[in-house]
Amino acid sequence: MKLCKLSRSLLGGGFFRNAARQPDRHDIPCDTFRAPRTASTSYLPAIDGLRAIAVILVLLFHAKLPLLRGGFIGVDVFFVISGYLITRLILQQHAEGRFSLLDFYERRIRRIFPALFLVLFATIAVGAVIMLPPDLVRLGSNVTSAALFVANLHFWKQRLNYRQDNADFGEPLLHTWSLAIEEQFYLLYPIFLLVLLRLFRRPGYILIGVGLASLALSIMLSTTHPRAAFYFSFSRSWELLLGAWLATTNVKDFVPRSFIPALQWAGLVMIGIAAASYDKLTPFPGFAALLPCIGTALLIAWSHLQTRVVVALSNPVLVWVGLISYPLYLWHLPLLVLARQYLLREPAPHEIAILYLVAVVLAAATWHFIEKPIRARRSPLIARHLFATAAAVTVLAIVAGTGLRATQEFAALPADAARILAVAKDFAPSRAACHNWDRRRPEQFADCVMGDRDQPGFDFALWGDSHGGAVAGVVDAVGRELAMKGVQLTTDGCLPLLGVDVTSNGAATDCAARNEAALTLLLQNQVRQVILAGSWIQYLGDYTMVIRAPGWANAGLHSTALLSRQLNQTINRLQASGIEVLILGPVPDIGWNVPSVLTASAWRGRALPDGPPFGDFMAHQRRVLAILREAEQGGAAILYPHEQLCRTTCIVRLDDQVLYSDNEHLSTAGANLLHPMFVRKLNGQGRSK
């Protein structure tokens, strides 16, 4: 009987290499936990076809194709495939008595390092030519984290959302988070698997248990800490373990042959539904990731059979794309993001097609001339030098990343470009200390007084989200001018609306409680007028924040209808308490980071661009403007910033003054343009000096 166990040479002096040995009492039958008959190391072209589908979904997602907003699930397809293939290989070699940790890690280096570090150094080279110093600083940090395979933790710490549109045109190495998760998993997984083989007669149950624990954590974090759920290895491990379990079980052999084609079609449909129906508001991974992951498992399970689905996946074109899928995944995003940063706009569809064609060419060349020779061990990198070479390349990348992070210290911009870029830090500088007030610290209230502090009572309050915070400076100045005392109650991502919950990236916030606390303060201090200021459009479901009615009764109410209803209720509640309501309407969203784009244009000697056409603004904000007109009929006074900020286009600069600190928040100069509007609306409540 063939015996399987974790060799003592793995745990003793011969840690990395198995040696020939005699059976002993620790050996267990291979049938207890072995590579199933259908999971041999023979090549399965359908799996490469499935890889092709995965990478195509990711490429279309990053191209912002409206019909495939859930294309990010291609990464999850990769995770399941990876877990299956690696486990299948480990079990097969272990069953044959030739598995070695040294060989395992050597294979991972040969597979991952060449293409990854080629892309890292190419991105550094191109980025050094076209990126601004602040962008190079971020790129340096990203390169270092990618080289150390901790990019997932780095981007989590930076609070970057992989699924969100980025007004800064994105990070060229953001996609390396998935490589970090895989390599963190495989650093410990083979040891864990071998220990299971030694200690348990049915280790598959342990794999299932660990996978379920990982899934439970993923589900929990998806609604409480969605970025952590997305980027943490343990909340993603269940996806790789699903593939691993598939490689260890013969359960699939008991499914009647007549059912298999239907199950495979179901797997394809599950992946397609997820790609077409998910978007950036879908809580993910959590429960939502089950759909594409189980669909992938159904396709892998019988990928050795010649069914119609398997034959289709084994199409030579798909297989070829699958073979180059890893370098294609690596190349596509740096090309796309660097093109955005060079063009200072989103590439047109035909430009994206050209970029992706270039990515395919680079991926094919990388696979043919670099990956294949190194993985086939035809390169001069013999095993004893491979680890030293990998360490040296990693150190070189870290040194290069550190050099980029130092760019800001020695790469000075021309004076006019530097002046423009400085506006990026101009978010109501005189009032920033009070923004994001803490409802649990009543003593902070004194620091949030604005206007004429010497007045005995409060005339007004500024209540809103970051758009309210952006105009706090000019409201403060108007209050002093009119001898009016006010208070600032502004918080990022909290629309000033009673009776709603706000979710951000799928996670609940404390905005409902914060808004009730704001109302209590207004009533306690007998505030006579309140300015409601918010980025109203961003809570209607097209962005990462959304308002929801508490409880199940109104669960089906559309966010636009909910905003209209709750704004009117908020107005009525304030007016019933004797508080006059003034609403700040929508500030035009320019669609690109104004200081960055203007700085890059000035730096490159290009003409400074204009903002979007006024007609585009009106079309974009039509739902909000209709709601505000209804509120105006209900007795609220409305300030329309676009009356000062838009002509034929919505302006981004005036008399050499930059009007935005990013794509949507007004700078001090931009907020000051609203000064006459605030004076007119607040003047009726002012006292004579």
Side-chain angles (χ1 to χ4, degrees):
M1 176 175 62
K2 180 177 282 190
L3 301 174
C4 292
K5 69 164 245 175
L6 176 62
S7 171
R8 284 175 176 166
S9 63
L10 283 169
L11 302 175
F15 182 82
F16 288 110
R17 300 271 185 200
N18 278 323
R21 60 179 177 81
Q22 297 297 318
D24 64 23
R25 62 186 180 86
H26 296 289
D27 291 326
I28 59 175
C30 279
D31 287 343
T32 300
F33 192 61
R34 62 182 176 83
R37 285 176 287 114
T38 58
S40 69
T41 53
S42 59
Y43 175 61
L44 299 173
I47 290 184
D48 272 324
L50 189 54
R51 276 178 169 153
I53 290 176
V55 77
I56 289 170
L57 287 176
V58 173
L59 265 64
L60 294 177
F61 166 69
H62 284 141
K64 301 181 181 179
L65 195 67
L67 297 179
L68 287 174
R69 293 177 179 173
F72 55 83
I73 59 99
V75 175
D76 303 87
V77 175
F78 276 128
F79 283 161
V80 179
I81 293 173
S82 186
Y84 172 77
L85 292 177
I86 291 294
T87 304
R88 187 179 70 153
L89 183 63
I90 292 174
L91 292 179
Q92 185 71 25
Q93 292 186 346
H94 186 265
E96 295 169 357
R98 59 186 181 90
F99 178 78
S100 156
L101 283 174
L102 182 66
D103 287 342
F104 176 83
Y105 293 127
E106 180 187 336
R107 282 194 304 271
R108 295 307 298 168
I109 290 173
R110 290 179 182 274
R111 165 66 169 161
I112 298 298
F113 274 50
L116 172 63
F117 283 90
L118 174 63
V119 171
L120 291 184
F121 290 126
T123 303
I124 291 172
V126 178
V129 176
I130 68 172
M131 284 182 160
L132 296 172
D135 299 325
L136 285 175
V137 171
R138 291 201 311 273
L139 178 61
S141 298
N142 297 347
V143 167
T144 300
S145 65
L148 293 173
F149 295 101
V150 292
N152 58 326
L153 301 178
H154 171 70
F155 291 125
W156 165 74
K157 186 177 180 181
Q158 296 299 313
R159 304 176 66 84
L160 290 180
N161 188 336
Y162 179 74
R163 299 184 289 158
Q164 182 178 354
D165 293 341
N166 196 316
D168 292 315
F169 303 131
E171 300 289 346
L173 299 176
L174 181 57
H175 60 327
T176 58
W177 69 270
S178 63
L179 298 183
I181 284 180
E182 283 201 25
E183 295 316 298
Q184 290 163 20
F185 181 84
Y186 289 126
L187 184 65
L188 298 176
Y189 173 68
I191 300 173
F192 171 68
L193 183 58
L194 293 172
V195 169
L196 290 186
L197 288 170
R198 181 176 179 83
L199 298 180
F200 298 96
R201 290 189 60 83
R202 294 290 183 267
Y205 293 125
I206 306 300
L207 281 181
I208 293 173
V210 175
L212 289 175
S214 171
L215 175 60
L217 179 66
S218 177
I219 293 169
M220 180 184 70
L221 291 179
S222 293
T223 55
T224 58
H225 298 85
R227 271 186 294 270
F230 194 89
Y231 285 123
F232 281 10
S233 294
F234 194 71
S235 58
R236 289 288 194 161
S237 295
W238 69 270
E239 302 181 36
L240 293 121
L241 289 172
L242 174 60
W245 172 80
L246 199 62
T248 66
T249 181
N250 284 324
V251 170
K252 54 186 177 291
D253 293 341
F254 296 98
V255 176
R257 284 291 182 100
S258 59
F259 289 3
I260 291 174
L263 291 173
Q264 290 177 326
W265 282 112
L268 274 179
V269 170
M270 292 167 77
I271 293 172
I273 289 175
S277 63
Y278 291 179
D279 58 24
K280 57 193 171 187
L281 292 177
T282 304
F284 200 87
F287 280 118
L290 284 169
L291 189 64
C293 288
I294 292 175
T296 303
L298 290 174
L299 290 168
I300 293 174
W302 300 282
S303 55
H304 58 289
L305 301 178
Q306 290 299 304
T307 62
R308 289 185 178 181
V309 172
V310 170
V311 171
L313 289 175
S314 302
N315 179 279
V317 175
L318 276 181
V319 170
W320 182 78
V321 174
L323 289 171
I324 66 167
S325 60
Y326 171 57
L328 180 57
Y329 178 79
L330 288 176
W331 280 113
H332 86 280
L333 193 59
L335 285 170
L336 189 57
V337 172
L338 291 171
R340 288 170 180 158
Q341 295 193 348
Y342 176 75
L343 296 170
L344 301 178
R345 59 172 173 80
E346 284 293 330
H350 72 278
E351 293 170 327
I352 293 176
I354 293 172
L355 288 169
Y356 280 178
L357 180 60
V358 172
V360 169
V361 172
L362 289 173
T366 302
W367 175 71
H368 185 76
F369 295 110
I370 297 176
E371 271 198 84
K372 282 180 67 178
I374 291 178
R375 290 177 68 186
R377 308 192 183 196
R378 292 197 298 270
S379 75
L381 293 176
I382 59 178
R384 64 176 176 269
H385 298 313
L386 183 66
F387 290 97
T389 303
V393 173
T394 301
V395 170
L396 182 61
I398 293 171
V399 170
T402 303
L404 290 178
R405 293 205 304 275
T407 300
Q408 205 160 9
E409 301 297 327
F410 62 82
L413 288 168
D416 57 341
R419 178 182 56 80
I420 295 173
L421 190 59
V423 180
K425 300 178 181 179
D426 184 12
F427 178 85
S430 64
R431 301 296 309 174
C434 189
H435 186 60
N436 291 321
W437 63 289
D438 189 345
R439 64 185 175 87
R440 298 180 181 87
R441 292 178 53 209
E443 69 275 11
Q444 188 189 24
F445 183 78
D447 298 328
C448 294
V449 176
M450 60 198 320
D452 188 346
R453 291 171 171 263
D454 295 330
Q455 296 299 327
F458 285 91
D459 295 295
F460 69 91
L462 175 61
W463 179 14
D465 60 13
S466 59
H467 279 221
V471 300
V474 68
V475 173
D476 180 37
V478 170
R480 292 196 306 271
E481 180 181 332
L482 299 178
M484 297 173 64
K485 183 178 180 180
V487 61
Q488 178 181 348
L489 303 170
T490 59
T491 304
D492 288 339
C494 277
L495 197 64
L497 212 61
L498 299 172
V500 297
D501 296 324
V502 177
T503 60
S504 177
N505 296 305
T509 67
D510 70 338
C511 287
R514 188 182 291 271
N515 284 332
E516 288 295 337
L519 178 64
T520 299
L521 287 173
L522 297 180
L523 298 179
Q524 287 176 348
N525 291 276
Q526 298 181 337
V527 174
R528 295 195 292 168
Q529 189 174 31
V530 63
I531 304 168
L532 304 181
S535 179
W536 309 98
I537 191 70
Q538 292 193 16
Y539 299 83
L540 298 185
D542 296 326
Y543 295 80
T544 57
M545 297 177 295
V546 66
I547 54 173
R548 301 189 189 282
W552 293 100
N554 299 305
L557 190 63
H558 191 274
S559 54
T560 303
L562 182 62
L563 173 60
S564 176
R565 188 186 74 180
Q566 294 308 125
L567 180 59
N568 286 323
Q569 289 187 10
T570 301
I571 293 170
N572 292 337
R573 193 168 172 183
L574 291 168
Q575 290 175 337
S577 300
I579 301 174
E580 182 182 345
V581 179
L582 171 62
I583 301 175
L584 183 66
V587 171
D589 186 333
I590 303 305
W592 36 267
N593 188 299
V594 173
S596 293
V597 171
L598 293 183
T599 300
S601 298
W603 184 42
R604 297 171 187 169
R606 299 182 186 177
L608 300 184
D610 294 322
F614 176 61
D616 289 356
F617 162 78
M618 295 297 290
H620 181 60
Q621 296 284 352
R622 65 185 183 280
R623 290 177 293 170
V624 169
L625 294 173
I627 292 171
L628 294 182
R629 285 193 292 270
E630 181 181 339
E632 196 168 16
Q633 294 173 359
I638 313 295
L639 274 73
Y640 291 105
H642 67 266
E643 293 177 355
Q644 299 294 323
L645 296 170
C646 297
R647 279 80 168 172
T648 56
T649 64
C650 294
I651 57 176
V652 296
R653 54 192 171 85
L654 184 66
D655 298 330
D656 293 329
Q657 296 292 313
V658 179
L659 305 183
Y660 287 80
S661 61
D662 52 22
N663 62 300
E664 57 176 309
H665 295 100
L666 293 174
S667 65
T668 298
N672 285 341
L673 291 180
L674 308 186
H675 181 278
M677 304 176 72
F678 283 114
V679 169
R680 287 197 304 271
K681 294 297 183 181
L682 290 175
N683 193 35
Q685 293 294 324
R687 299 182 181 90
S688 60
K689 295 187 178 182

